[in-house]
Amino acid sequence: MGEFIASLDELVPVDKAQQVILSQVKALSQEDVDLIEAYGRTTAVDLSSDIDVSPFDNSAMDGFAFRATDVADASAENSARLQIVAHIAAGDWYDQEVQPGQCVRIMTGAALPDGADTVEMIEKVTFTEQGLIGDYLVMDHPLDLGKNVRYSGEEVKAGTVALPAGTIVGPAAMGLLASTGNTTVPVHRRPTVGILSLGSELVDATEYPARGHIRNSNGPALSGCVRRAGAIPKVYPTLADDYDAIKATLAQAVAECDFVISSGGASAGDFDYITDIAAELGQVFFKYVNMRPGKSQTFAMVNGTPFLGLAGNPAAAICGFEMLVFPALQKMQGRKAFFHPTQQAILGKDTKKKGTRENYLRATLTRDAQGQLVANPYKNQSSALFGTLHTSDCLVLVPGEVNFLPADSEVTCVHLDIDAGTVI
């Protein structure tokens, strides 16, 4: 089957647009980073352990270690007395075998000596004198074999995989990598994403806008989106509606970046040039996506680099990024899950929409008296607003064929601030 190329007036379904973009990207090459710098990165290969973790049987409690058979018949009426023959701290190694009728006082994490197979915590025993070497442990209850013992290789065995390829490295994974000797971590390279802001009306955020002008807010917002996706933003100077200037900058950006996005200039206005420029420099796959906000979305491959021309309205630009660019950036980082996690909720009020586009409504989530998750879409869904995006917990998906959903309808909520693949 050949590549999907839509006509420039075709409304491409969201899932089809996602498939098209994902088909044009692949995981980036690997690089080695220091373990301390590996947080949030994605492992490029299976990472194995050079030792058993734990490397030895050890105590899970501060207490006493002994043979379980020595206390098998212990009771309040018939207590067992075991002589304390050693006091073992974490880091110590006792090289004698614990004999029947003997025990050792042991600290959490200390190696279990030969002969001992069970540990009881200090709070549940009594002892003579100070409970040190030469004194006696008094046990009035039996204990299961292996109680309070952490076994050698319980976490991972030497030579086996500790973290598989495609794992996002979090704090616990960093600890596991340290335990298994992986202090240099092969990870996929993070994509650099070029960001172009288009429009003669735009001025830098540091400037006080003159009449008819507005500050460039999409550039910083999309930079945040890129960082949240795990990638590296590269912001280019704001561009006026000048065909040649936009063309030159787009050509520069695709040469320097792994993915390029722009905001503005993607619709059908007199000065919306980005689709024509993308077609001149590369291959355009589609121009419109069947979603609201964010209908105008030009996707092209330009000299081997994916490019998406986002709509200019803030909510449209961000929604377009999160639904179309975010998944591609996850794939480029070698991750196993590409899409934002979703969750089911019920609508808090009747919801209407016009037309056949798939709607993504900014909404907040609450719990009702029964603990049911309730989604409450904002009344004002203007695509020009940042505020409702900033305070939203999710986007409520209203399918294209649906124009009315009554309160208490079950809906799908898309979470934007949680890692892809997270179970919620």
Side-chain angles (χ1 to χ4, degrees), residues 35 39-40 53 155 162-163 167-180:
L35 173 58
Y39 176 81
V53 180
E155 177 110 70
L163 280 186
T167 299
I168 301 174
V169 179
M174 293 173 74
L176 183 58
L177 290 173
S179 298
T180 55

